Amino acid sequence: MTDASMPTATGTPERKVKSLTEIDARTAKRNAAEKRFKLYGMAAVVTGLLFLVMLVTAILTNGLPAFKRAVVEVEFTLTQDQFDAAESKLLKTAEYNTLFITALSETLRERGIDREFDAAAVDRLLGSVGGTIRAFYRENPDQIDQPVAFELAASSRVDRYLKGTFGRDDVTEEGNRFFINADFDLVDDMRDAGLIRSAFNWVFLTGVDTGVDNPGGAGIGASVLGSFLMMFVVLILALPIGVAASIYLEEFAPKNRFTDLIEVNISNLAAVPSIVFGILGLAVFIQFMHLPQSAPLVGGLVLTLMTLPTIIISTRASLKAVPPSIRGAALGIGASKMQTVFHHVLPLAMPGILTGTIIGLAQALGETAPLLLIGMVGFVARYPDSFVGGLEGPNSAMPAQIYNWAARSDAVFTEKAWGGIIVLLVFLLAMNLVAILLRRKFERRW
Amino acid sequence: MYDAPQVTKQETAVTDVKIQASDVQVYYGGNHAIKDVSVAIDDKTVTAFIGPSGCGKSTFLRCLNRMNDTIDICRVTGDIRIDGEDIYDKRVDPVQLRAKVGMVFQKPNPFPKSIYDNIAYGPRIHGMARNKAELDEIVEKALRRGAIWDEVKDRLDAPGTGLSGGQQQRLCIARAVATEPEVLLMDEPCSALDPIATAQVEELIDELRQNYAVVIVTHSMQQAARVSQKTAFFHLGNLVEYDDTSKIFTNPEDSRTESYITGRIG
């Protein structure tokens, strides 16, 4: 044990007495190496955090404006005579338009601003105001003769001008059908008069996709629904199939070459690029089984295939983590294999299984590539009319919608794409939170 | 003359053979773990299996309730009879066998459930109680037999895993007796316990002898000497010697037994 310090035959032991406060060269070198390693580690963490901060900042600065929209608030009173007169005209909405223009210029004049503008300008800035007003009074005739504060969504150009992403330099002298130079002055006036304010953009959350004519009205609602329908399909298929497969493989299957092969293949499946699952879905579900194209049902089936390996791997891991002594205890008092698994092993593995499932679902929620191949990137301008119709009918999904918007030329859609990323991230964070809460709730010690 | 057979009958009733094993071989893959073991285990007796680590005593114990079935590569041949019935018969369901042959493990392994549910689980799955009152009765009886009733009667809803090691092991014994087994197998039940808990469990084993055939695997020769009436010494997969405990520890026939109990091998 202490051979090195034993006296040798040739001489007396040479043991130098060293003070503990004196650090020798070897120790100093070792300590320096340790300090260096700590620094590298810290640098790595800081770099990672920096990228995260940059990412979050970029997403928030670009995406948050999508949740706000400019609205023009004008108080407007319609008399019964005006209503009757307008309703008797041939071009009814035009009549309301004229009434609104009068009201708007009066309001502006009251606040000390005198400006001439025509119906075309109102149409460019606020869309078809006349139609909106007429629809309101036809539905609420009791509001006639009463002052009503109309909140009208400003066009996307106005919105972007006020958000600072669109300016006078972006418009040529004569302008185009969406915006002319003089419109900036009118917007400035309305802002100075306090008629324009920023409101929460509910349409973005609840709306459907729109064309280039109305980029401001585009919303992510329909594709959120599409994503949820897909997640529903994934959950009801992948969870039972995945858990059943894992329980069989882990607890019942004989350990032989065949089950080894299955195991290796499941691990490999987890690493298959998602686009491959997409082309598989296209070939099998659409071309061979003739399921409808672009449908959340097919999207859900494809994502189920993708999610299954994740669920199986995490379920098997959590089944493995249940101590064998619990199985022995149950078997030892005469529980059958199945009773052992379902009464004792599965409840203990449940937090892990649920966590794995939710992580798998979250992965599937953010998946875009397979959806491109089964056609879930189309233009979806309406909500489905029923649950089954929603599963079978064409729809999009959040990431596909984001991809779609990001590819369009109008800068409003770019803003929507960033906003869509925020919505997607909120859902992913919520799912992860649920996973954490479930794990906390069901965690048991043994 | 006429009375004589009756006397003999009474004697056999006292030392009834509960388990008769003949020529048992166990293979783990290519490894021959148990070689030609034949042993007759008496009812209402504590039988101790002693021997150095890896000698096969635990493996043999696990043959008696077919726990080895759960290990894929394990193969058992030979003949093991409980009350004259071959337990490796194709018609025997190991689940039913294990209800009859209870087992207590080396490490206390209560279920992560309440104390009550730990005990009630076996009776529930075997349908031993028709209603809650009967189940309550079974649980109390089992806990009393496990000599732990007084310590836990006020907290039956508390988790079984929250008890101390010794209490957990007595809970596991109570759980094993709750299913009314006829044989109780104990695989080093005291190896994870401190001396006081060990003494309590040993005392309990002695009481259990009134009702069951108890087979205990132990590393402690003192424990074997204290609790058992019969002792079997295993070495390298062979049953070297099997006799009354007093004889094994005072006058062993085989030199290997003597070496082991005097601490020269092991």
Side-chain angles (χ1 to χ4, degrees):
Chain A
M1 209 164 94
T2 49
D3 285 349
S5 58
M6 291 281 270
T8 52
T10 51
T12 50
E14 250 185 76
R15 200 189 290 169
K16 231 168 72 187
V17 179
K18 262 198 288 183
S19 162
L20 277 174
T21 55
E22 217 176 287
I23 304 292
D24 63 16
R26 233 184 118 71
T27 313
K29 208 171 149 194
R30 223 160 43 186
N31 290 350
E34 192 171 316
K35 204 176 267 172
R36 270 201 309 279
F37 180 76
K38 273 191 202 162
L39 276 177
Y40 298 149
M42 257 147 67
V45 171
V46 168
T47 316
L49 281 180
L50 208 68
F51 278 120
L52 184 68
V53 167
M54 273 163 58
L55 184 73
V56 171
T57 320
I59 290 173
L60 290 183
T61 48
N62 288 302
L64 280 181
F67 293 90
K68 292 271 182 193
R69 72 186 320 194
V71 290
V72 175
E73 222 171 13
V74 179
E75 206 177 79
F76 185 74
T77 313
L78 185 79
T79 62
Q80 188 67 48
D81 296 344
Q82 284 174 321
F83 180 73
D84 294 339
E87 286 300 313
S88 64
K89 288 270 170 54
L90 189 64
L91 294 169
K92 300 180 178 69
T93 46
E95 200 57 35
Y96 286 100
N97 237 356
T98 318
L99 289 171
F100 175 76
I101 290 166
T102 319
L104 181 59
S105 23
E106 263 170 29
T107 316
L108 284 174
R109 209 169 300 127
E110 272 169 30
R111 310 205 179 174
I113 294 159
D114 202 5
R115 178 169 295 280
E116 286 290 313
F117 52 90
D118 55 4
V122 171
D123 199 51
R124 281 194 300 272
L125 298 187
L126 298 171
S128 61
V129 176
T132 316
I133 294 176
R134 177 165 183 247
F136 173 79
Y137 282 112
R138 281 170 67 85
E139 255 180 47
N140 308 289
D142 53 319
Q143 294 292 314
I144 293 174
D145 288 326
Q146 311 254 344
V148 177
F150 276 97
E151 225 177 56
L152 301 155
S155 81
S156 59
R157 310 285 150 143
V158 177
D159 195 42
R160 283 179 55 211
Y161 172 56
L162 294 169
K163 282 171 183 166
T165 54
F166 179 72
R168 285 167 200 270
D169 302 338
D170 300 318
V171 181
T172 51
E173 198 56 50
E174 66 274 15
N176 54 30
R177 70 185 176 103
F178 295 125
F179 219 83
I180 61 168
N181 243 319
D183 292 339
F184 287 114
D185 302 324
L186 182 56
V187 174
D188 284 341
D189 287 343
M190 288 198 287
R191 187 179 54 193
D192 294 342
L195 295 179
I196 295 186
R197 66 181 182 85
S198 179
F200 188 78
N201 192 357
W202 284 108
V203 175
F204 176 61
L205 290 182
T206 58
V208 294
D209 199 5
T210 57
V212 282
D213 286 348
N214 181 21
I220 201 166
S223 44
V224 170
L225 185 72
S227 277
F228 272 106
L229 289 169
M230 285 201 302
M231 290 305 109
F232 173 76
V233 174
V234 173
L235 190 68
I236 60 164
L237 287 178
L239 184 62
I241 296 176
V243 171
S246 323
I247 291 177
Y248 177 73
L249 284 173
E250 198 56 48
E251 306 283 341
F252 293 94
K255 301 274 173 287
N256 56 29
R257 208 171 267 181
F258 183 63
T259 45
D260 282 351
L261 192 74
I262 291 178
E263 227 182 298
V264 170
N265 276 307
I266 288 172
S267 308
N268 284 341
L269 271 184
V272 168
S274 53
I275 194 115
V276 176
F277 284 104
I279 212 151
L280 179 82
L282 176 66
V284 175
F285 296 129
I286 294 176
Q287 289 172 349
F288 178 69
M289 291 167 70
H290 297 293
L291 291 174
Q293 267 186 43
S294 316
L297 176 68
V298 177
L301 287 171
V302 170
L303 293 180
T304 300
L305 295 180
M306 257 194 62
T307 316
L308 263 178
T310 315
I311 293 184
I312 291 177
I313 289 169
S314 66
T315 303
R316 294 192 64 181
S318 32
L319 288 174
K320 268 201 189 93
V322 174
S325 66
I326 295 293
R327 292 183 181 85
L331 291 173
I333 51 174
S336 68
K337 189 104 200 194
M338 196 164 150
Q339 285 172 327
T340 305
V341 171
F342 282 88
H343 295 168
H344 300 286
V345 178
L346 204 55
L348 291 174
M350 218 51 194
I353 294 173
L354 290 177
T355 311
T357 305
I358 292 173
I359 301 292
L361 279 183
Q363 242 176 36
L365 186 69
E367 201 54 67
T368 326
L371 305 184
L372 303 182
L373 285 168
I374 56 163
M376 282 191 74
V377 277
F379 176 75
V380 179
R382 61 175 189 89
Y383 273 101
D385 40 15
S386 68
F387 181 70
V388 177
L391 283 175
E392 290 173 348
N395 205 333
S396 191
M398 274 188 272
Q401 181 70 75
I402 291 166
Y403 168 80
N404 197 333
W405 280 338
R408 291 189 199 168
S409 59
D410 196 319
V412 179
F413 285 117
T414 316
E415 186 187 274
K416 301 263 174 194
W418 283 101
I421 287 171
I422 294 183
V423 175
L424 183 61
L425 284 180
V426 165
F427 278 116
L428 292 180
L429 285 177
M431 287 170 87
N432 279 304
L433 194 71
V434 170
I436 291 170
L437 290 178
L438 282 175
R439 201 163 38 199
R440 287 260 174 86
K441 188 170 185 296
F442 289 113
E443 206 162 51
R444 295 239 186 107
R445 296 185 196 291
W446 49 77
Chain B
M1 281 305 280
Y2 188 74
D3 284 328
Q6 256 187 334
V7 175
T8 336
K9 210 174 177 182
Q10 216 171 14
E11 272 178 352
T12 47
V14 173
T15 56
D16 223 357
V17 171
K18 187 71 185 170
I19 305 173
Q20 178 69 58
S22 337
D23 300 325
V24 175
Q25 320 278 347
V26 179
Y27 303 88
Y28 282 119
N31 179 18
H32 196 175
I34 295 284
K35 299 160 194 159
D36 285 326
V37 170
S38 298
V39 68
I41 291 165
D42 294 338
D43 200 9
K44 309 211 189 310
T45 304
V46 178
T47 306
F49 290 176
I50 60 168
S53 292
C55 68
K57 54 194 190 299
S58 283
T59 302
F60 184 68
L61 185 80
R62 294 165 72 91
C63 291
L64 302 181
N65 68 344
R66 292 185 58 177
M67 278 298 266
N68 285 335
D69 288 16
T70 57
I71 301 163
D72 279 334
I73 55 163
C74 184
R75 201 157 53 79
V76 179
T77 65
D79 188 60
I80 301 176
R81 289 173 184 277
I82 294 183
D83 293 333
E85 284 184 313
D86 182 6
I87 63 167
Y88 279 89
D89 190 292
K90 277 199 173 65
R91 288 166 298 175
V92 171
D93 187 341
V95 168
Q96 269 179 309
L97 170 71
R98 288 181 201 131
K100 191 169 173 172
V101 184
M103 187 158 192
V104 176
F105 297 81
Q106 185 170 359
K107 209 178 132 233
N109 55 355
F111 298 128
K113 296 172 188 276
S114 72
I115 292 170
Y116 184 93
D117 287 337
N118 261 283
I119 305 295
Y121 181 68
R124 267 192 199 128
I125 59 170
H126 295 300
M128 289 166 63
R130 273 167 302 174
N131 52 44
K132 179 86 169 76
E134 273 186 26
L135 193 60
D136 287 350
E137 205 174 301
I138 290 171
V139 169
E140 182 178 339
K141 200 169 127 198
L143 286 169
R144 279 190 195 283
R145 279 205 195 150
I148 192 177
W149 171 251
D150 290 330
E151 290 158 70
V152 300
K153 64 183 174 196
D154 299 325
R155 46 173 174 149
L156 292 175
D157 290 332
T161 41
L163 298 171
S164 75
Q167 287 173 327
Q168 284 189 17
Q169 194 61 299
R170 278 181 284 146
L171 179 70
C172 292
I173 294 171
R175 183 178 63 190
V177 301
T179 54
E180 301 283 347
E182 293 165 26
V183 180
L184 205 53
L185 307 178
M186 296 183 159
D187 191 357
E188 297 181 41
C190 299
S191 64
L193 305 183
D194 67 25
I196 295 168
T198 301
Q200 286 168 330
V201 171
E202 282 179 6
E203 204 177 307
L204 175 59
I205 291 170
D206 199 50
E207 282 167 27
L208 293 172
R209 180 161 68 91
Q210 314 296 324
N211 299 301
Y212 313 99
V214 180
V215 185
I216 176 171
V217 164
T218 178
H219 263 132
S220 154
M221 280 170 286
Q222 290 87 340
Q223 185 172 57
R226 282 194 301 264
V227 300
S228 70
Q229 289 76 51
K230 293 272 219 168
T231 297
F233 171 63
F234 286 80
H235 190 238
L236 301 175
N238 295 304
L239 176 62
V240 175
E241 196 168 347
Y242 175 54
D243 214 324
D244 287 344
T245 301
S246 52
K247 178 144 191 308
I248 293 269
F249 280 97
T250 52
N251 188 19
E253 272 172 17
D254 197 288
S255 59
R256 287 170 290 177
T257 316
E258 194 183 354
S259 306
Y260 182 69
I261 59 170
T262 53
R264 267 177 285 149
I265 59 167

